[in-house]
Amino acid sequence: MVRAHIRFRGTVQGVGFRYTTLSFAQSLALTGWVKNLPDGSVEAMVEGPRAQIEELVAKLKNQFGSFIRDQQIEWLEVRGEYKDFFVA
């Protein structure tokens, strides 16, 4: 189990990015949150098995590849503080 702090930049607001992330994360049994930031980027904090988090990112790239200009992932130690995944 790991924790990933992820930031997506590009045209990622106003295209259903957060709710698609929510759907994908729930289908992969991941916990955490996703939210829009004032600078137009989207931030997510995700916990679960690393392979599932990598699958989440791959699904988002597949769905929104033309909208994502850049992404950053910081791998952290899991804290287990979330019970589900939600839009913050």
Side-chain angles (χ1 to χ4, degrees), residues 46-58:
V46 187
E47 291 191 345
R50 185 172 177 137
Q52 266 85 334
I53 295 173
E54 289 172 344
E55 185 175 345
L56 170 67
V57 172

Side-chain angles (χ1 to χ4, degrees), residues 26-70:
Q26 289 175 335
S27 73
L28 294 165
L30 297 170
T31 62
W33 51 263
V34 62
K35 69 178 179 179
N36 285 342
L37 294 179
D39 68 359
S41 65
V42 172
E43 178 182 36
M45 189 70 71
V46 187
E47 291 191 345
R50 185 172 177 137
Q52 266 85 334
I53 295 173
E54 289 172 344
E55 185 175 345
L56 170 67
V57 172
K59 286 180 166 214
L60 289 169
K61 282 178 153 180
N62 185 52
Q63 183 82 21
F64 295 102
S66 62
F67 297 101
I68 299 170
R69 177 177 36 88
D70 177 55

Side-chain angles (χ1 to χ4, degrees), residues 1 3-5 7 10-11 15 22 25 27 29 33 37 40-41 45 47 55 58 63-64 68 71-72 77-78 83 86:
M1 298 287 279
R3 178 181 180 111
H5 180 219
R7 188 134 176 215
T11 308
V15 294
L22 172 68
S27 73
W33 51 263
L37 294 179
S41 65
M45 189 70 71
E47 291 191 345
E55 185 175 345
Q63 183 82 21
F64 295 102
I68 299 170
Q71 76 177 34
Q72 295 174 315
E77 188 174 314
V78 71
K83 293 183 180 186
F86 60 94

